[in-house]
Amino acid sequence: MPSTPAHVANVPVNQIREITQAAWAVPGAIVLSIGEPAFPVAPHVLEAGMAALERDDTNYTPNAGIAEVRAAFAQRFSQLSGVAADPHRAYVVAGAQQGLHLALSTLIAPGDEVLIPDPGYPTFAMTVGLLGGVPVPYPLAPQHGFQPRIEDLRRLVTARTRVLMLNSPSNPLGSVFDHDLTRDLVRFAHEQDLWIISDECYEAFTYDVPHVSPARFDAGGPEAVQGAAAARVITSLTLSKTYGLTGLRIGALITPPGMEALLDNVMEASVSCVSATSQYAGLAALRGPQDYVSTALAHYRLNRDAATAVLDAQGIDYLDAKGAFYLWADLSHATGGDVRAWTRNFLAERGVALAPGTAFGAMGEGWVRIALCGDTDELVEGLSRLPAAPGRAVNPVSR
């Protein structure tokens, strides 16, 4: 059989899928390893999708999406970020992952480098590598509250660096960038002439802190940094988490002016367009009642508080989650330096699936990601099976 290119063959296994698929094969397993919202989709969203099928609205749409859907995404982005967005800059994609692939396909050539967070979502590195680029992890360390530092980024920039990946609220960390840090990161990108891809998949879910979009500080934003002559922030949005539409694959990129024709060509060469059914369901989600979002937010906060109470009782350290629906917990007292193997053994022995921290980068060794989006009783039961930390010590990073 002919060989495959090295950059394809070397794409790493997604350890989240690895442990989750193993858990699905274990009867009665408590699955806390995957971010799948537990609420049923709102009826008006389902009805809109079914209505599209019933009227046989199953044809191609424009590459960039149905005009009404683009306008709805632009309006949501403007409301949440404070940045005016022309609907022509909203590009409908088949979920955030396809949006990431589309954006990177337009920005990097083979050998180009992309700065990605470590710990960070695994497909950041996977997608860069699949396109022949070089993922360059920037450290998010416990002693710095798992926040990026400009000095760390500066040391990693080379002549081949093209893109800075940002993710707030963070998957897997649950951390959120504040106003000043977000501004400083955008200023850094302008100084270094880098693109920014801002993954804002969890923008609807923050706890007592605001979500701050990097686009606020880009050229054309209300707080544009000095020297921001041309826009360079591409914002990734999705309805998967916000409205529980993970399987419909519907999201959007909010792009700088002038990228429309380029994105049309790249989209045509990949998936042509997003399913019309998904787009109409997404339109109903964006424009209809928002009860799902408020109910989900309250549930995730409840689960966060219930989970931290269990971890506190066991003396297990964690990062206090300010956003998304994950809790980042330190199990290094139990994992023996191989958290990936430990999570497999923990599933086999105790029937609970957790995402190993190394799924998100080398900095995740010893840590696990706990999904907070499911049933509260199952969450508490699963975490109660964790091994308590010797001495029940509490590290300052958890406070």
Side-chain angles (χ1 to χ4, degrees), residues 69-90 200 203 211-216 220-223 235-237 243 252-255 286-287:
V69 182
R70 299 177 72 185
F73 269 113
Q75 182 180 27
R76 178 171 180 82
F77 174 73
S78 296
Q79 290 172 340
L80 293 172
S81 68
V83 179
D86 185 327
H88 289 96
R89 292 171 49 208
E200 301 178 30
E203 38 80 15
H211 167 63
V212 183
S213 176
R216 286 192 64 84
E223 299 181 65
T235 304
S236 175
L237 304 174
Y243 299 99
L253 295 177
I254 308 297
T255 66
L286 288 164
R287 290 277 170 85

Side-chain angles (χ1 to χ4, degrees), residues 335-347:
T335 59
D338 187 351
V339 69
R340 183 181 184 185
W342 181 86
T343 56
R344 292 198 295 266
N345 291 334
F346 188 64
L347 171 63

Side-chain angles (χ1 to χ4, degrees), residues 21-337:
Q21 289 179 180
W24 287 337
V26 176
I30 297 175
V31 182
L32 306 178
S33 54
I34 194 167
E36 182 72 63
F39 297 102
V41 173
H44 69 279
V45 176
L46 296 175
E47 290 165 5
M50 290 187 287
L53 291 173
E54 287 170 355
R55 65 176 179 264
D56 194 21
D57 205 334
T58 55
N59 298 323
Y60 290 123
T61 77
N63 295 121
I66 297 165
E68 280 185 284
V69 182
R70 299 177 72 185
F73 269 113
Q75 182 180 27
R76 178 171 180 82
F77 174 73
S78 296
Q79 290 172 340
L80 293 172
S81 68
V83 179
D86 185 327
H88 289 96
R89 292 171 49 208
Y91 207 98
V92 182
V93 293
Q97 180 52 43
Q98 193 259 322
L100 174 65
H101 190 280
L102 178 66
L104 285 170
S105 295
T106 67
L107 301 181
I108 66 171
D112 284 346
E113 297 171 357
V114 178
L115 299 175
I116 63 168
D118 178 7
Y121 193 63
T123 62
F124 295 165
M126 294 170 71
T127 306
V128 172
L130 188 62
L131 292 169
V134 180
V136 178
Y138 58 86
L140 305 178
Q143 62 268 32
H144 303 302
F146 291 98
Q147 297 284 329
R149 300 195 306 161
I150 300 300
E151 53 264 47
D152 293 330
L153 292 167
R154 197 179 304 279
R155 282 193 292 268
L156 296 171
V157 172
T158 74
R160 294 306 302 266
T161 310
R162 296 289 179 267
V163 180
L164 170 62
M165 284 289 313
L166 300 177
N167 177 210
S168 175
S170 167
N171 176 8
L173 301 171
S175 57
V176 176
F177 299 166
D178 66 18
H179 175 280
D180 290 353
L181 175 58
T182 308
R183 178 200 59 209
D184 292 346
L185 289 165
V186 175
R187 180 184 293 125
F188 170 79
H190 278 273
E191 291 171 352
Q192 300 294 327
D193 196 25
L194 304 179
W195 292 96
I196 288 177
I197 298 177
S198 178
D199 176 352
E200 301 178 30
C201 293
Y202 296 90
E203 38 80 15
F205 304 124
T206 60
Y207 312 106
D208 305 317
V209 296
H211 167 63
V212 183
S213 176
R216 286 192 64 84
F217 308 101
D218 200 19
E223 299 181 65
V225 297
Q226 187 174 4
R232 62 188 61 233
V233 176
I234 299 175
T235 304
S236 175
L237 304 174
T238 181
L239 306 188
S240 292
K241 311 300 184 179
T242 309
Y243 299 99
L245 304 182
T246 53
L248 286 189
R249 312 312 303 139
I250 178 76
L253 295 177
I254 308 297
T255 66
M259 293 191 71
E260 295 86 355
L262 182 61
L263 285 170
D264 275 351
N265 289 340
V266 179
M267 187 75 161
E268 180 64 29
S270 54
V271 298
S272 295
C273 62
V274 177
S275 156
T277 302
S278 294
Q279 291 192 58
Y280 282 114
L283 179 62
L286 288 164
R287 290 277 170 85
Q290 299 298 298
D291 304 40
Y292 180 99
V293 182
S294 56
T295 299
L297 177 61
H299 179 71
Y300 302 151
R301 181 192 291 269
L302 172 69
N303 275 5
R304 180 199 63 171
D305 295 344
T308 56
V310 175
L311 297 183
D312 283 338
Q314 295 166 305
I316 295 173
D317 201 12
Y318 57 88
L319 181 66
D320 191 17
K322 297 296 186 183
F325 47 62
Y326 303 105
L327 195 58
W328 187 244
D330 184 2
L331 270 293
S332 57
H333 61 278
T335 59

